[in-house]
Amino acid sequence: MSKNLLKTLVSVIAAISLVIGLSACNKEESKPASNSEKTEKEIKSADSQKGEALKNNIKLSSIRGTVRNEVQFTVSDLKPNSSAELIWNEVDGKYNVKGVYEVIGPEFTEKDVTLVKGTSNANGVWEGSFKVPEGFGGDYTIYVKEDNKKVGQTAYTVDPTFVMTPTSGPVGTEITVKVEGLGWSTYMRNWQLTYDNKYTGLVTAISTNGTAEAKFRAAGTPGKHAIRLRTGYLGMQYINYLQSPYPDKPAPDFMFEITGEEAVAKNYVEPAPTAADGGVKMPELKNKSGVEVALNKTEGEVGEAVNMTAKGLPKDKKVDIVWNTMKGSRVSGLGFSETSAKLQTVTTNSEGGFTYEFKVPDDLGGSPHRIDLKVGNEVYGQGYLRILPSIVKYSPTSGPVGTKIQITIKGGGWTEFDNAYYLTYDNAYTGYL
């Protein structure tokens, strides 16, 4: 291949990338621009189409800040001695999950909330202060309401904040980066974290409304290690952020120093976190009238002992305890379907109850499994049991460069969220399993 042809190919690839990037950016900016990006004339023109133009009668002590900042305000051109209130446009985020396994994407709803209420003076002027609400960052419109009608507006920008703790420790130290005020727009909700210029993972706060904690472990040789966060909606950091669509946003850099002490990390699985918004909503269990089914634990690792008790069933009857799971593949195009297997058959006592102890089956993790209690072909009671991931094997723990390391886990899931575990080596993304 000639050098000229190679240059042409590179140019074509660069041009295609630019077009794709511009298309993505244009798609993101297809929503109405924030008031901070409009002129007063444009605001009045847009609002006049809806009715009476809103006044530019709100003056703030600052036009940008972070959550919980106190802002002084002065509102003019109000009716003398009239009641008024400042309105903030609050955003609430969540993930749209179809069924219990298919992640459709993020969803956001907006609603007006009152920041503060007050009364104008004899000259129609109202002064006071408010605190920036905790929630998503980004550009907001603040309205003033009089007689239950919006009569004025201004703009305010909420910037994200980033705090890292601790700043030093031995290899394996858990490092936490707490962020507040992350945005909800496509560009501002995805922040990529690198460790020593190696991609480690994504920080976002969609279902926790702008607040999140990223946790990872110190890795590498003794000395200082660079940690960087940048926005990057395409999956990686936007390096030349000064030429990005939002060059005025924070660009946090941290330094963690690894000390020469003994490593603190052990081979273990972190506890499952509490899901935002309560997590996936499982179908309601169906028990016949008077039937009660209880398990001494609702989740556990493969092989853990579980105790099940039931009462209210038919007396002196055989009960099949049926384990339900999923089988299938996304690659085949046939998807997944439910399948079941009998764990055990027990006999109820003279009062219609039983106690059954079993081990957590070697099966899929992720969404809880439904357990059916069947008398004949009829289901009388149900329960849920979730399988947690566990490390079965990690070997060897040392060796020369090139040594093959084998990691075996159990309790991996089948849903779009649970079916891929991502591996980092010294905080550098390596691949998934």
Side-chain angles (χ1 to χ4, degrees), residues 115 266 339 345 359 372 388 427:
L115 286 175
K266 304 291 182 182
T339 185
T345 298
K359 291 185 177 180
D372 295 331
L388 298 175
N427 286 333

Side-chain angles (χ1 to χ4, degrees), residues 139-214:
D139 298 326
Y140 286 87
T141 300
I142 299 175
Y143 298 97
V144 59
K145 256 187 177 182
E146 187 178 49
D147 297 332
N148 205 32
K149 177 183 176 183
K150 293 177 181 177
V151 296
Q153 66 179 357
T154 192
Y156 192 86
T157 298
V158 180
D159 288 323
T161 59
F162 303 81
V163 177
M164 185 188 82
T165 55
T167 57
S168 64
V171 168
T173 297
E174 185 175 77
I175 304 169
T176 299
V177 175
K178 182 174 182 179
V179 296
E180 292 185 301
L182 285 191
W184 62 274
S185 66
T186 301
Y187 191 89
M188 296 309 300
R189 67 172 170 252
N190 296 320
W191 290 72
Q192 319 294 333
L193 186 147
T194 59
Y195 186 97
D196 283 347
N197 288 336
K198 301 168 187 174
Y199 176 69
T200 303
L202 166 72
V203 181
T204 190
I206 291 170
S207 57
T208 49
N209 289 359
T211 299
E213 287 188 352

